[in-house]
Amino acid sequence: MAWTRAVAYAVLSSQFWLPTKADYIWPNAQIDELEREVFEQENPFDGPGSTVSFVDGCSGPAERALGIGRSFGAEWIRNAYHDMATADVSAGTGGLDASIVFEMDRSENVGDAFRETLGIFQGSHNTRASMADLFAIGAVMAVGACSNGKVIVPFRGGRVDAAGPGPSGVPEPQQDLPTHTLSFAKQGFDTSEMIALVACGHSVGGVHGVDFPEIVPNPVPTNGATNDNTVTFDTTTDNFDNLVAKEFVANVSQNPLAFGQNETTRSDFRIFNADGGDMISQMASSNDFFLNTCTTMFERMINTVPRDVKLTDVIKPLKIKPRKLSVTVNDDQSLSVSGFIRIVDDLIGANGTQVLIHLASRSGEALPVATGTTSQGLTAGCGYPNCGPSYTYFRFSSTIPADQGVSSFTVEIIDGSTGKATIYNNGGGGFPVSDAILPMFSFSSQSSITINGSDQLQLNMTAAVLNAEMYANVSLIVPQPSNKSAPISPWIQEIVHMEPLSKISGTNFTLYRGIWQSSGPLTAVSSHPFDLVAQGATKTVSSLFNSWDDVEFI
Ligand SMILES: *[C@@H]1O[C@H](CO)[C@@H](O)[C@H](O)[C@H]1NC(C)=O
Ligand SMILES: *[C@@H]1O[C@H](CO)[C@@H](O)[C@H](O)[C@H]1NC(C)=O
Ligand SMILES: *[C@@H]1O[C@H](CO)[C@@H](O)[C@H](O)[C@H]1NC(C)=O
Ligand SMILES: *[C@@H]1O[C@H](CO)[C@@H](O)[C@H](O)[C@H]1NC(C)=O
Ligand SMILES: *[C@@H]1O[C@H](CO)[C@@H](O)[C@H](O)[C@H]1NC(C)=O
Ligand SMILES: *[C@@H]1O[C@H](CO)[C@@H](O)[C@H](O)[C@H]1NC(C)=O
Ligand SMILES: *[C@@H]1O[C@H](CO)[C@@H](O)[C@H](O)[C@H]1NC(C)=O
Ligand SMILES: *[C@@H]1O[C@H](CO)[C@@H](O)[C@H](O)[C@H]1NC(C)=O
């Protein structure tokens, strides 16, 4: 069937239209961490070398410096496609599930792209961000950066990591058109969609001679240097645009999978002509059509998941989000409550805008108001245009009587030009901040120790528990991979029983201490965020997902 551009676009995009949802309520263990990955790409807290910086300028500064035609942007797209490509949508199996990490030695997955992508995302992997979600975020970031913000793929979370390899079946260049048509159909893409997805995927990157010597020449460099001998798919490889389609239609012989020396591996030529050249011509004639189509195709690609996986709604950035909240018991019967409030810049545009934090005591009564202050560098945003809003962080700190305690707060913003005050209350209930069990960072430390001749981490954690007599036990819980030799594996919770030390005088807080030690090989996730949990017959309280960044290294 010959599609007009309008019909094709309407059909491709209609499946994914959903009404916008209101802001979610904070905290949300399923969304908070993913929202941070997607929308707080560059921020002052997460250390240097943000994930998105790897795809700065699409290929990324480190890959560009090599000058051998490697591109992190292209790799992250290829990684997501190869991971998804073994899906069987009618059986409801496979899709984006990170099974690619177990499938790298297959000939259909030749090249360094998969190992490099895993290496970059490994440090971000945790119980709240599956590797499959991170691979999807990688694809979203790559096309966002490579298109300079013209392709913004909506992101849903909730992908579940595979525990081992899946079936093979990633399309390969030497296969014939009926084989490709069948394998794309198995993934859920018809002929037009196959053409579109391949053209979109081949807008950046190229074929590496080191991996595919039968497709492009792979001369050994005479000077002893390494060279990937890359031939790119079009003549502007770092630009995500329709040039790959335009050049194909114009018979520019750049693309080795369309016009390469080896006819057997001209898979793009066969695929682009599979509908008589209709879709690729439409993509060639309009860059807007190309970009819109690619947005839809990549959204479908990353949302292809096993049937039993339920994705979240599209994750939208919160306007107001607490960050690094901390409550500490002082030795003068007071509590220090501090943290940062991330505020979308739209709400604080006017000069002289004030941010006030209205804390409520444990019983819900108003405590003295804290003022939010900001300073240079306390800002966050995305690594490429249109991904999301920019933010400013406002720091606050308050000292309150320990017997009154704290339960929640609201944020008031008073506009500097109109004087209008608006209260943000997190959907009605305020932003919760509990003082039931508290990490006492100033009494805690992390260190490197040697156990039986191997280097290990030690977390020496002190917690303060309010009304400790209500609980049967207090635990320090550090999730760890169940198989530290595997690239990914299901998480297990390593539970350390915390021992009571003493009551903090003049308060109802009791200090507890627990020491966790790593075992086996150290991995990128050895210092996984940890939980403190006090459990009793009638009540359980917790302080979840605490960062090691707040614990002094000694
Ligand atoms: C062309 O590609 C096919 C499939 O990879 C391979 O078997 C063949 O040897 C290649 N031909 C040449 C001349 O490299
Ligand atoms: C490209 O090559 C094909 C096949 O030789 C030919 O039919 C077509 O007219 C050419 N297109 C252009 C723009 O030269
Ligand atoms: C805020 O004040 C500065 C310095 O007076 C001025 O340059 C800037 O334009 C003002 N911004 C707004 C949004 O009014
Ligand atoms: C400790 O708890 C008891 C019982 O709830 C209460 O009566 C007392 O005021 C509390 N003391 C402090 C210092 O909070
Ligand atoms: C150290 O090795 C000994 C002997 O293999 C073993 O009994 C002991 O449990 C090990 N200690 C730790 C902390 O792993
Ligand atoms: C844990 O930290 C406390 C407080 O700094 C210290 O007294 C204790 O010796 C530490 N324990 C270990 C095993 O390092
Ligand atoms: C752990 O992972 C390694 C590497 O993937 C694998 O060889 C080994 O069988 C796994 N061990 C267990 C107990 O599953
Ligand atoms: C802690 O106590 C609760 C309630 O008695 C019990 O159900 C739970 O198994 C205990 N947990 C640990 C880790 O000891």
Side-chain angles (χ1 to χ4, degrees):
M1 183 185 83
W3 283 1
T4 67
R5 187 179 309 159
V7 169
Y9 179 46
V11 170
L12 290 175
S13 42
S14 61
Q15 288 148 280
F16 288 93
W17 185 85
L18 275 177
T20 47
K21 296 281 197 297
D23 286 350
Y24 72 87
I25 306 296
W26 182 91
N28 182 317
Q30 197 185 13
I31 298 179
D32 287 334
E33 176 74 356
L34 298 172
E35 191 256 15
R36 185 182 67 74
E37 292 283 352
V38 175
F39 296 109
E40 226 172 305
Q41 295 177 359
E42 286 170 336
N43 70 69
F45 305 118
D46 293 334
S50 64
T51 306
V52 75
S53 68
F54 283 92
V55 290
D56 185 23
C58 186
S59 50
E63 296 274 56
R64 261 196 309 283
L66 292 176
I68 57 174
R70 301 194 61 82
S71 163
F72 282 127
E75 289 185 1
W76 293 3
I77 296 169
R78 181 165 189 250
N79 180 73
Y81 177 71
H82 278 235
D83 188 25
M84 183 285 295
T86 52
D88 181 344
V89 291
S90 64
T93 58
L96 205 49
D97 60 2
S99 66
I100 187 81
V101 306
F102 303 106
E103 300 161 355
M104 294 183 197
D105 52 4
R106 296 178 180 172
S107 60
E108 66 190 29
N109 294 325
V110 67
D112 289 337
F114 312 109
R115 206 170 312 282
E116 290 191 344
T117 306
L118 173 64
I120 289 167
F121 285 97
Q122 227 155 12
S124 306
H125 187 211
N126 58 51
T127 50
R128 293 184 175 188
S130 69
M131 191 58 79
D133 275 344
L134 293 169
F135 284 168
I137 289 171
V140 169
M141 281 185 182
V143 296
C146 296
S147 69
N148 198 31
K150 297 199 185 83
V151 178
I152 300 295
V153 179
F155 176 76
R156 296 165 190 269
R159 289 168 197 76
V160 176
D161 290 340
S168 53
V170 180
E172 295 183 78
Q174 78 282 1
Q175 291 167 340
D176 61 13
L177 184 60
T179 306
H180 282 149
T181 307
L182 268 178
S183 65
F184 277 87
K186 200 171 177 186
Q187 300 156 27
F189 299 97
D190 69 15
T191 298
S192 285
E193 294 163 344
M194 167 178 75
I195 297 163
L197 189 54
V198 171
C200 295
H202 291 172
S203 181
V204 293
V207 178
H208 305 279
V210 286
D211 302 325
F212 295 97
E214 74 282 11
I215 302 179
V216 300
N218 186 39
V220 179
T222 48
N223 58 1
T226 55
N227 196 327
D228 266 26
N229 292 318
T230 307
V231 180
T232 56
F233 295 118
D234 66 29
T235 49
T236 64
T237 183
D238 270 346
N239 294 359
F240 192 97
D241 59 15
N242 70 340
L243 201 62
V244 65
K246 276 166 94 167
E247 292 185 349
F248 177 76
V249 168
N251 292 337
V252 174
S253 64
Q254 173 77 25
N255 181 349
L257 293 180
F259 302 100
Q261 56 183 6
N262 189 338
E263 197 172 339
T264 311
T265 54
R266 288 184 195 160
S267 51
D268 280 11
F269 185 89
R270 293 186 289 270
I271 287 171
F272 292 166
N273 284 319
D275 66 349
D278 191 49
M279 175 54 94
I280 200 71
S281 301
Q282 292 181 55
M283 294 182 102
S285 61
S286 163
N287 196 40
D288 286 344
F289 174 77
F290 180 89
L291 298 173
N292 286 333
T293 304
C294 294
T295 307
T296 309
M297 298 314 299
F298 284 136
E299 184 175 19
R300 285 191 45 194
M301 175 178 84
I302 63 170
N303 290 350
T304 300
V305 291
R307 186 172 289 151
D308 55 358
V309 172
K310 173 110 181 66
L311 296 180
T312 65
D313 291 335
V314 170
I315 296 179
K316 299 280 172 60
L318 278 186
K319 290 187 176 63
I320 311 246
K321 191 180 187 186
R323 188 78 145 94
K324 296 179 94 62
L325 287 186
S326 151
V327 183
T328 300
V329 191
N330 303 318
D331 58 13
D332 63 354
Q333 299 164 34
S334 69
L335 302 182
S336 291
V337 184
S338 65
F340 295 84
I341 311 295
R342 191 193 79 183
I343 302 180
V344 65
D345 282 341
D346 294 354
L347 298 179
I348 48 166
N351 275 335
T353 292
Q354 279 180 279
V355 173
L356 302 176
I357 291 88
H358 296 271
L359 293 158
S361 74
R362 211 174 286 135
S363 62
E365 274 159 57
L367 292 164
V369 177
T371 303
T373 59
T374 189
S375 54
Q376 191 157 16
L378 282 179
T379 57
C382 284
Y384 48 86
N386 306 322
C387 135
S390 61
Y391 299 100
T392 300
Y393 301 94
F394 288 78
R395 184 192 285 114
F396 76 95
S397 177
S398 187
T399 304
I400 60 177
D403 58 350
Q404 283 186 273
V406 65
S407 60
S408 71
F409 62 86
T410 59
V411 176
E412 181 180 16
I413 300 179
I414 304 172
D415 187 277
S417 63
T418 64
K420 183 171 175 257
T422 310
I423 303 262
Y424 295 87
N425 62 13
N426 194 33
F431 296 91
V433 47
S434 167
D435 61 5
I437 179 166
L438 304 171
M440 296 288 284
F441 292 116
S442 58
F443 299 149
S444 304
S445 60
Q446 54 171 309
S447 50
S448 184
I449 55 167
T450 304
I451 300 175
N452 277 355
S454 77
D455 289 340
Q456 297 295 344
L457 290 179
Q458 176 168 284
L459 179 63
N460 179 349
M461 216 41 229
T462 300
V465 180
L466 180 65
N467 301 327
E469 61 282 358
M470 300 196 325
Y471 309 104
N473 49 55
V474 178
S475 306
L476 162 63
I477 302 175
V478 187
Q480 291 291 294
S482 51
N483 182 349
K484 288 171 187 138
S485 311
I488 56 173
S489 62
W491 299 101
I492 49 162
Q493 298 205 316
E494 295 194 355
I495 301 175
V496 173
H497 180 75
M498 299 183 87
E499 298 292 344
L501 299 176
S502 59
K503 218 158 176 178
I504 303 178
S505 76
T507 75
N508 282 333
F509 287 94
T510 303
L511 292 177
Y512 282 73
R513 176 167 300 144
I515 296 170
W516 175 83
Q517 290 174 338
S518 63
S519 58
L522 288 177
T523 71
V525 293
S526 290
S527 42
H528 187 289
F530 59 89
D531 299 338
L532 299 169
V533 179
Q535 205 176 355
T538 57
K539 197 176 177 191
T540 296
V541 293
S542 55
S543 167
L544 302 179
F545 216 65
N546 293 287
S547 170
W548 287 58
D549 293 348
D550 297 319
V551 185
E552 193 191 359
F553 192 93
I554 55 167

